[in-house]
Amino acid sequence: MPVDQISTTPIASAQAVRLIVAISSRALFDLSESHRIFETDGVQAYHEYQVAHESEILAPGVAFALVRKLMNLNASLGTRGRVEVILLSRNSSDTGLRVLTSAHHHGLDISRAAFTGGASPYRYVGAFGAHLFLSADPEDVRLALAAGCAAATVLPSSTATSADDDPQVRIAFDGDAVLFSDEAERLYREEGLDVFNQHESAAAHEPLPDGPFKGFLVAIHQLQALFPPESAPFLRTALVTARGAPSHERVIRTLRAWGIRIDEALFLGGLSKASFLNAFDADIFFDDQTYHCEAARVHVATGHVPHGVANM
């Protein structure tokens, strides 16, 4: 499809389940060289560089493999559901031409985009109805989270752009301050592990308050429900949390109250998450704590969620 032609084909029927992911150009493609020029030489030099190189196809970036696998789900979903990826970029439409050209060259059916000419694109996350925003810009991510959208800063990872012929998409989440609020995390930091465990045991039947990624998990669950339980799963989720017994019960009952199925739940009791994420072979992992993100990104693509008490 030509880059200046917007598809008018309906993405799905009105009743179809949709998962919408918004992504920045620097998360989708390797723009390290042009970004270096922008930071060292300014906007005009960046513009000239992009225009001069607009016929050169960009190499995949840290979240490219995840996006490709998500969009490949559409072949199995048919008319029942649709995964849509929207490009949100600080580029102008002029400099953004190279990005869309590269997307179509790589076979990514991206037809919707917003080029904001230097302004933060976060305000269009909600306007497009996106369930998730992935960006390489931490400030854009913070603004999106403050606006009530699930968002994460994708971190550099040498494993994230490797070839993967496995069609299954595997997404892993931390619990507190990601799927759930940071209420329990605050208590742990203020009062210690013993008080935390006592409180969580006493409140085991009270669902945890929503975290910023609940809506994204709900959208994933709705896609999963389109496939019969006995079929091979195309989309698999995991909760990977430092919680252990007895604080695990409240988490399980919260997910049950939400009516959400999560495929795997790893209660690690303080163990490092990195090796478990490697064993799960996650396509991406979301966590609010920098320490866990830095360890995880060695093995899997990782999104830092700058939300909650750990990021104050």
Side-chain angles (χ1 to χ4, degrees), residues 70-131:
L70 282 171
M71 298 191 80
N72 285 346
L73 292 177
N74 289 326
S76 301
L77 290 167
T79 60
R80 298 172 300 164
R82 181 78 175 180
V83 177
E84 183 180 6
V85 175
I86 296 166
L87 184 66
L88 298 185
S89 175
R90 286 176 175 260
N91 280 287
S92 65
S93 58
D94 196 25
T95 58
L97 180 62
R98 186 185 183 193
V99 179
L100 277 179
T101 299
S102 297
H104 297 147
H105 172 85
H106 287 290
L108 301 180
D109 183 19
I110 297 177
S111 61
R112 292 179 169 88
F115 297 107
T116 61
S120 174
Y122 84 93
R123 61 192 183 278
Y124 295 115
V125 177
F128 276 115
H131 300 100

Side-chain angles (χ1 to χ4, degrees), residues 289-304:
Q289 297 192 45
T290 303
Y291 169 79
H292 293 305
C293 290
E294 288 297 322
R297 74 183 182 94
V298 176
H299 302 282
V300 301
T302 301
H304 175 234

Side-chain angles (χ1 to χ4, degrees), residues 181-196:
S181 79
D182 69 338
E183 171 191 279
E185 177 69 20
R186 287 175 181 273
L187 181 65
Y188 168 73
R189 287 172 177 264
E190 293 171 1
E191 303 291 342
L193 181 60
D194 289 342
V195 173
F196 167 81

Side-chain angles (χ1 to χ4, degrees), residues 6 53 56 71 76 149 176 206 218 306 309:
I6 298 298
H53 293 80
E56 299 176 14
M71 298 191 80
S76 301
C149 302
D176 297 302
E206 300 174 17
V218 169
V309 66

Side-chain angles (χ1 to χ4, degrees), residues 214-229:
K214 179 190 175 183
F216 178 48
L217 181 62
V218 169
I220 290 174
H221 178 75
Q222 290 171 342
L223 275 187
Q224 289 178 310
L226 298 177
F227 298 98

Side-chain angles (χ1 to χ4, degrees), residues 167-187:
Q168 188 181 71
V169 182
R170 291 174 289 271
I171 301 177
F173 302 88
D174 179 36
D176 297 302
V178 178
L179 292 181
F180 318 118
S181 79
D182 69 338
E183 171 191 279
E185 177 69 20
R186 287 175 181 273
L187 181 65

